[in-house]
Amino acid sequence: MSNAQFRPINNIEGKTVILTGASRGIGAFIARELAKKQATVICISRSQEGLDKICNEINDLGGKGIGINFNISKVERIPELVYEIKQLTGSFDVDILINNAGIEIYRAFHHYSLKDIQLVLSVNLLAAIELSRLVLPQMLDKASGHIINIASLTGKKGLAYDSIYSASKAGLITWADALKQELANTNIKISNICPESISEQASFADTGISTTLKAAISIPEKVAIAVCYTLENNGVEIVENGNFLTRNITKLKFAFEEHLPRFGDDIKRSLHQPNSQ
Ligand SMILES: NC(=O)c1ccc[n+]([C@@H]2O[C@H](COP(=O)([O-])OP(=O)(O)OC[C@H]3O[C@@H](n4cnc5c(N)ncnc54)[C@H](OP(=O)(O)O)[C@@H]3O)[C@@H](O)[C@H]2O)c1
């Protein structure tokens, strides 16, 4: 099939979505946005309480919420998750996969243990890749599907004391790029959403890492809207930070950094002053 014939998901209504990390944070905002569009959202997280809460909200908003309590850091057990989805839904018919679950461990690189490194890479990168590998064949069979990764701007320019997380997000972005080329002649789409630090939510807010670029802070509602926009409009990559101006300054900054890495380092350090951890 040629690119010209590509049919984006467009209408989210009635679609079945697997959403990892749905129990709180950005994932819960994405779940609510999908629910408003009457999707069936299969929510994956470890916290049963968080899953019950978000599934109730999804049902109240007009979607259908199905919660599955699963620890995706156990990457070799992800086929069991697929089996559980088949049991719960009666089939394995997934239109959209959103790889959102992610963790960060902030510390000086030489203070990481191998266990810390394996955990961050497993949750943020390997689980997303393995779940996509298992979901893709049925998308190819029906010639329709969309995989979205919640990556990060940290995957485009590394952040001090967050080196393993930065590596995981860079890996996610480059893997998706390679897969996008591989799937170019199919009807399957793969996209990345790259948020800036989220103002009051979760991980970044807890770091204590100061940023002087307050205008470029993102909000979770906008990340959720960016996900639906990408699904409905065949988006490839969305940088989500602040407003039109900060988004375009960021894109320009990346273009400069690509060609002038020393200059890029100076900009990065002037905007994000890392604490010694
Ligand atoms: N917050 C930011 O500033 C920011 C900026 C850019 C990108 N992002 C990315 O956005 C995504 C969501 O981040 P967030 O800020 O919403 O994080 P969060 O509030 O900490 O939520 C993380 C979600 O992932 C789930 N999760 C974590 N480990 C898991 C595991 N082993 N198995 C299954 N589920 C697991 C958590 O559920 P349970 O604990 O219940 O398992 C939770 O639902 C991440 O990929 C993150 O890297 C965040």
Side-chain angles (χ1 to χ4, degrees):
M1 184 178 294
S2 77
N3 266 336
Q5 290 171 292
F6 178 80
R7 297 184 313 274
I9 288 283
N10 271 328
N11 192 356
I12 297 171
E13 184 180 343
K15 296 290 188 296
T16 299
V17 186
I18 295 180
L19 171 63
T20 66
S23 63
R24 60 189 153 88
I26 295 172
F29 283 89
I30 297 172
R32 287 184 206 110
E33 208 55 37
L34 293 167
K36 286 184 218 161
K37 293 179 184 275
Q38 278 111 55
T40 294
V41 190
I42 303 171
C43 301
I44 319 288
S45 291
R46 292 162 304 172
S47 147
Q48 191 57 52
E49 199 188 336
L51 286 171
D52 291 345
K53 188 168 175 290
I54 195 62
C55 285
N56 285 337
E57 284 188 55
I58 292 169
N59 295 335
D60 289 348
L61 287 165
K64 183 175 173 199
I66 299 171
I68 302 183
N69 181 317
F70 189 87
N71 182 350
I72 60 166
S73 73
K74 310 283 178 215
V75 179
E76 67 290 348
R77 295 186 59 190
I78 291 182
E80 292 171 32
L81 170 65
V82 168
Y83 180 77
E84 202 174 335
I85 294 171
K86 276 184 194 154
Q87 295 295 306
L88 279 172
T89 60
S91 65
F92 190 60
D93 185 2
V94 178
D95 302 297
I96 299 160
L97 166 63
I98 304 176
N99 291 309
N100 165 72
I103 54 165
E104 291 182 86
I105 300 177
Y106 301 93
R107 80 190 35 151
F109 173 65
H110 59 286
H111 290 153
Y112 280 100
S113 66
L114 177 59
K115 219 170 143 207
D116 294 333
I117 295 173
Q118 283 169 332
L119 182 63
V120 174
L121 292 179
S122 295
V123 174
N124 297 6
L125 181 60
L126 290 181
I129 291 177
E130 174 63 353
L131 196 47
S132 303
R133 188 180 72 86
L134 296 172
V135 163
L136 188 58
Q138 55 87 43
M139 287 182 172
L140 287 168
D141 282 350
K142 62 184 179 185
S144 171
H146 201 140
I147 298 172
I148 296 190
N149 300 308
I150 307 302
S152 168
L153 290 182
T154 305
K156 294 197 170 270
K157 180 79 181 163
L159 185 64
Y161 303 105
D162 210 5
S163 57
I164 306 306
Y165 178 81
S166 301
S168 73
K169 295 299 183 178
L172 204 52
I173 291 168
T174 310
W175 160 71
D177 189 38
L179 186 57
K180 187 176 63 185
Q181 316 311 327
E182 209 171 305
L183 297 175
N185 292 324
T186 74
N187 209 27
I188 319 301
K189 190 85 190 144
I190 179 152
S191 322
N192 295 317
I193 310 285
C194 297
E196 180 73 72
S197 330
I198 300 290
S199 50
E200 73 286 10
Q201 284 287 321
S203 36
F204 188 81
D206 299 337
T207 64
I209 294 172
S210 62
T211 172
T212 50
L213 197 64
K214 296 289 182 208
I217 292 288
S218 191
I219 56 166
E221 288 88 340
K222 280 197 170 179
V223 178
I225 289 168
V227 167
C228 290
Y229 178 88
T230 300
L231 290 169
E232 291 170 337
N233 296 282
N234 190 14
V236 174
E237 181 174 276
I238 292 194
V239 166
E240 179 35 55
N241 70 343
N243 53 37
F244 178 79
L245 183 66
T246 50
R247 259 196 306 280
N248 283 296
I249 291 175
T250 301
K251 287 180 191 168
L252 211 59
K253 187 163 72 68
F254 284 137
F256 266 117
E257 285 167 356
E258 186 76 16
H259 296 288
L260 301 165
R262 202 187 300 263
F263 178 59
D265 288 347
D266 289 343
I267 299 180
K268 182 78 182 176
R269 290 192 202 110
S270 69
L271 296 177
H272 295 269
Q273 289 126 16
N275 296 335
S276 58
Q277 305 276 300

